[in-house]
Amino acid sequence: MGLQAGRQAGLTPRRNIDCEAPPGHAMKIAMTQDIPLAELAPRLMQAMLPHVPYDGWSETALAAAARDAGIDADIAALALPNAEAMLIAWTTLVNANMAEAMASAHNLKIRDRIRMALVTRLETGDREVTRRALNLLAQPQHAALSAKLLWQAADAMWRAAGDTATDYNHYTKRLILSGIYSATLLHWTQDDSEDFAATRRFIDRRIDGVMRFEKAKAKLTGMAGKLPDPARFLGRLRYPAV
């Protein structure tokens, strides 16, 4: 039945909901014209996450997010121009959500704070979104970005845990946690256990291993402090006491 025939029969034409802008859409677009792109990016990312499992980190997902958030598509493309910008915005959003969730965790032991940081990042994320991100970051052209985002994640977790180290420990802590987090992500994306119990046990084993290493390192450092100074000994050989 054609549209004209349908009208003659008293039928109401079906609206194309997929292409129709939501109520107030034009007004919302007008309100975003003067907002800095840096402020639009997290809004766009939040709106984009439901679309990533289906459309990936793509222009299609971004266009859907812009429509949902009432942001002009051209402006959205400036705020998140490519997959790299999308992944950076996603990591920033996850880091912020994790830090907010851990705001009252400073009364816990450091081991428990790090465990909470790891678990919180997983609980506030979506596995399919993470899979899509990992698949993209595994590509050779994104190797540098992958390392950068992993380091930022480890740094955000340590900061949320209250770490204030500025010496070499600042770097070793983040390097070790980067290894734990990357291994945990791979385990989590394949975990089918109830409430991700297997991943939680995996995290506990990794943290226990690091704690044993730190205790052993502290013990060796203490022992080294009690050993004679080789330079001082050699100096005595060269300049014997008279």
Side-chain angles (χ1 to χ4, degrees):
M1 179 183 296
L3 180 60
Q4 185 63 31
R7 286 175 176 168
Q8 293 176 355
L11 299 178
T12 302
R14 180 180 178 181
R15 298 188 302 172
N16 190 341
I17 298 176
D18 292 336
C19 298
E20 188 173 88
H25 185 72
M27 182 179 295
K28 291 169 70 176
I29 288 180
M31 292 172 63
T32 63
Q33 301 297 324
D34 298 323
I35 299 177
L37 296 179
E39 294 181 18
L40 284 179
R43 287 175 53 185
L44 274 168
M45 181 49 53
Q46 193 69 58
M48 186 175 173
L49 291 178
H51 301 282
V52 172
Y54 306 99
D55 299 313
W57 300 96
S58 64
E59 294 179 359
T60 301
L62 179 62
R67 183 179 65 248
D68 294 346
I71 298 173
D72 181 79
D74 292 333
I75 295 177
L78 291 175
L80 297 175
N82 50 42
E84 180 175 338
M86 295 172 190
L87 290 172
I88 291 173
W90 172 63
T91 301
T92 301
L93 180 64
V94 173
N95 288 342
N97 291 340
M98 181 269 302
E100 182 179 356
M102 291 188 61
S104 60
H106 294 292
N107 59 327
L108 300 176
K109 294 181 179 180
I110 187 64
R111 179 194 186 283
D112 296 327
R113 276 180 270 168
I114 290 300
R115 182 185 187 277
M116 180 179 178
L118 287 163
V119 172
T120 300
R121 288 185 72 87
L122 302 182
E123 289 182 340
T124 57
D126 179 278
R127 278 210 298 181
E128 190 54 39
V129 169
T130 303
R131 283 195 188 101
R132 292 274 193 166
L134 293 178
N135 289 339
L136 197 58
L137 290 170
Q139 298 176 12
Q141 66 268 29
H142 292 135
L145 176 63
S146 178
K148 175 184 175 180
L149 297 183
L150 181 60
W151 184 268
Q152 288 180 354
D155 181 58
M157 284 187 277
W158 270 115
R159 291 182 184 277
D163 178 63
T164 57
T166 56
D167 57 4
Y168 77 97
N169 282 321
H170 173 91
Y171 300 98
T172 57
K173 287 178 178 179
R174 283 148 182 79
L175 185 62
I176 292 172
L177 187 56
S178 293
I180 294 176
Y181 181 53
S182 60
T184 299
L185 279 178
L186 294 175
H187 192 280
W188 176 60
T189 55
Q190 302 174 50
D191 184 7
D192 294 324
S193 63
E194 184 176 356
D195 196 27
F196 303 116
T199 298
R200 295 172 190 273
R201 292 193 296 269
F202 180 87
I203 290 173
D204 289 337
R205 289 195 300 271
R206 293 298 176 275
I207 293 178
D208 286 343
V210 172
M211 297 303 292
R212 287 194 297 269
F213 170 77
E214 289 296 324
K215 289 180 180 179
K217 185 178 72 172
K219 186 176 180 179
L220 289 173
T221 302
M223 292 174 61
K226 298 177 182 179
L227 295 175
D229 186 355
R232 186 177 180 183
F233 176 71
L234 292 173
R236 286 183 177 179
L237 290 177
R238 184 175 182 181
Y239 304 105
V242 294

